[in-house]
Amino acid sequence: MTDSTPTNGETPSSDDQAEQGISVFQSLNSQFYREHGPGEYILLRLYSLCLVGGSYDTFKDAISKGIDFATLQMKPETVDDPDEETVKSEEALRDHFVRIEAHHLKHLAIETLIRLFMGHKNVPRCPWLEISKETDFRAFKNKVRKQIVEADEGQLQTEVAKVFLGYSGELSSATDEQLDVSQNLVQFLIAFAREWLEEAKSYNATKHGLTAVPGDAVFSIGSKEEEQTTLGYGDSLAHLSHKSWDGDEREWSLTTRWIRLEQAVGTIAIVHQMILPLWSIARARYCGVTKYITSALSSSDFSVEKLREIEGCPMIEASMTVLAEYR
């Protein structure tokens, strides 16, 4: 990371090397925690999603006045009295953005939370370095599965209390409030990690090339139209996915994943509330900041069960084989 060779050509002592290492870590930590954390970025993305999805007219009014930013001067054409076709086209554009952005931002927020937690839970000398080491996505997914989803909840609660509450003692001496909050955060962390793992393919379809096609899919079963039961409906994303090679053949499927907008937005908001104390406590640990905030997300305020109770499409995903590929 730095050139530690002395100018006189002498080999540095172990103490010198250790001192130089500490200096490098301090410099990196100072740079990493200097600015607002990723939670604020996620919050601004959430604001833009809610603005477009919940107050599109306000959004259109703002951009219709013209935008001058960096090297761009943008002033979209507006129609004073749009016809029905124009209105439908604008609504379709809004829905297109909201469906992709809600799903993508939810998973970006969850992945950010997971990587920050994994990089801070063992209190390393330089969390930025630990997070940056995780470049093997498959190996990292296995770590998340073992260290969060399948972890011993007692150990996980201790790590959560350390990262989100700044608590470094044994949980046996923690207050009832600290125990409740830390346990509630454990349940959120497990639920979010499991969702991130299960929805990886649809997340990748929004992340890599925007190959997820937003829509309003309906899935019903039943022999007669009047006897059909609708299991899937509403906002959705469709994408192609494949199985592993079976000899020289593999199957491709068209997968539809329904988006529960209310749950997606709720998840993003909760993740933001979890990242804020994590970042604040880390700044105190690594940069000597004397004031920091801790999580106060108790089970009585909001819980995983309450998030799941938000109404939405009962079906999560449906796949249909569409072709076979040969090599």
Side-chain angles (χ1 to χ4, degrees):
M1 290 177 288
T2 60
D3 184 1
S4 58
T5 303
T7 56
N8 59 7
E10 295 179 359
T11 302
S13 67
S14 58
D15 289 341
D16 289 338
Q17 290 178 337
E19 185 176 343
Q20 289 170 351
I22 292 172
S23 177
V24 170
F25 292 141
Q26 289 176 339
S27 177
L28 288 174
N29 289 335
S30 176
Q31 184 175 355
F32 189 52
Y33 298 107
R34 180 175 56 202
E35 302 293 341
H36 290 293
E40 300 304 327
Y41 170 80
I42 290 169
L43 180 61
L44 287 178
R45 285 275 297 270
L46 179 58
Y47 280 152
S48 67
L49 171 62
C50 293
L51 177 61
V52 174
S55 188
Y56 194 55
D57 288 340
T58 302
F59 171 74
K60 288 196 303 179
D61 289 343
I63 63 175
S64 67
K65 298 174 182 177
I67 300 172
D68 187 355
F69 177 70
T71 60
L72 291 179
Q73 291 182 327
M74 304 175 66
K75 187 173 177 62
E77 294 183 4
T78 57
V79 179
D80 293 333
D81 189 18
D83 56 25
E84 184 177 350
E85 183 177 349
T86 301
V87 172
K88 287 184 178 180
S89 177
E90 288 186 349
E91 290 176 349
L93 176 61
R94 176 201 62 199
D95 293 343
H96 183 100
F97 171 83
V98 167
R99 288 162 180 161
I100 293 177
E101 179 69 356
H103 191 67
H104 182 268
L105 182 56
K106 179 185 76 170
H107 284 276
L108 171 65
I110 290 175
E111 182 173 351
T112 302
L113 172 67
I114 290 171
R115 288 185 179 273
L116 286 173
F117 172 75
M118 296 286 282
H120 285 83
K121 68 186 182 72
N122 295 323
V123 195
R125 290 180 295 178
C126 182
W128 191 7
L129 179 62
E130 297 305 310
I131 296 168
S132 300
K133 287 179 182 178
E134 299 292 354
T135 56
D136 185 331
F137 187 60
R138 180 172 296 182
F140 182 68
K141 286 172 65 177
N142 289 333
K143 276 189 178 181
V144 170
R145 186 175 288 106
K146 291 178 181 179
Q147 297 182 23
I148 296 181
V149 177
E150 299 172 356
D152 174 78
E153 289 197 19
Q155 174 63 28
L156 188 58
Q157 187 175 359
T158 299
E159 295 168 345
V160 162
K162 187 188 308 176
V163 172
F164 298 99
L165 300 179
Y167 191 79
S168 57
E170 294 294 328
L171 285 178
S172 57
S173 60
T175 66
D176 289 343
E177 181 182 3
Q178 289 171 328
L179 290 172
D180 175 69
V181 171
S182 59
Q183 181 57 35
N184 196 38
L185 293 174
V186 164
Q187 297 308 310
F188 273 118
L189 193 62
I190 293 173
F192 292 158
R194 184 179 288 118
E195 189 169 7
W196 179 70
L197 291 169
E198 292 174 351
E199 299 186 1
K201 290 184 178 179
S202 59
Y203 173 38
N204 287 337
T206 64
K207 183 170 60 172
H208 302 301
L210 286 176
T211 56
V213 180
D216 188 13
V218 176
F219 181 83
S220 302
I221 59 173
S223 56
K224 297 180 181 179
E225 186 174 348
E226 61 271 14
E227 297 175 356
Q228 287 185 343
T229 300
T230 300
L231 299 177
Y233 59 86
D235 299 302
S236 61
L237 293 174
H239 63 92
L240 292 174
S241 58
H242 62 76
K243 295 181 179 179
S244 300
W245 287 101
D246 183 8
D248 290 333
E249 178 183 356
R250 67 177 176 182
E251 292 183 346
W252 283 83
S253 297
L254 177 62
T255 300
T256 298
R257 176 164 287 274
W258 279 272
I259 305 166
R260 301 169 180 176
L261 286 177
E262 291 79 5
Q263 288 188 1
V265 171
T267 295
I268 298 165
I270 292 297
V271 168
H272 168 254
Q273 289 298 315
M274 292 176 70
I275 290 177
L276 287 184
L278 179 154
W279 194 260
S280 179
I281 291 167
R283 290 188 75 198
R285 279 199 175 116
Y286 293 98
C287 298
V289 178
T290 55
K291 293 183 179 180
Y292 60 90
I293 61 172
T294 63
S295 178
L297 188 61
S298 69
S299 59
S300 60
D301 293 326
F302 203 69
S303 64
V304 171
E305 288 72 23
K306 291 177 182 177
L307 184 62
R308 289 172 177 163
E309 289 171 1
I310 297 176
E311 292 186 4
C313 167
M315 195 166 190
I316 298 175
E317 187 176 273
S319 293
M320 176 179 65
T321 302
V322 291
L323 61 90
E325 181 184 9
Y326 300 91
R327 62 179 177 182

